[in-house]
Amino acid sequence: MDDPLGNHVVIDCQGVRVVMLHLKQGSLLVEKGERLARGQLVGQVGNSGFSSEPHPHLQATKVSPGQSTFEGRGVPMQFGGRLLRRNDPVVVD
């Protein structure tokens, strides 16, 4: 395995880094440095890297200068105005 994170994207958003991990190999639709638009498709859910089954793995961290993405402080994320906790179900219409 080359990278335990698998096929992934790091999105810098006003001092917060949002990371999408274990995406399907070959499914990325964005390029490094590209500015993203709200609702833009980034890639497909997969299980690349150190992952046994397909799942959406998202995390957000507040980072200080010189810190890596995974050294920062976790930031809560909302989906559809809902603050989710680990393993909460999400239904997409």
Side-chain angles (χ1 to χ4, degrees), residues 9-21 57-65 67-77:
V9 173
V10 179
I11 302 169
D12 286 315
C13 184
Q14 300 174 348
V16 173
R17 289 188 188 143
V18 177
V19 186
M20 304 172 76
L21 306 161
H57 183 148
L58 303 168
Q59 65 187 66
T61 52
K62 178 91 172 159
V63 294
S64 298
Q67 281 186 313
S68 78
T69 299
F70 299 101
E71 292 174 320
R73 178 176 41 91
V75 176
M77 292 186 279

Side-chain angles (χ1 to χ4, degrees), residues 2 10 14 17 32 45 47 67 78:
D2 292 339
V10 179
Q14 300 174 348
R17 289 188 188 143
K32 186 174 183 171
V45 170
N47 68 323
Q67 281 186 313
Q78 289 188 2

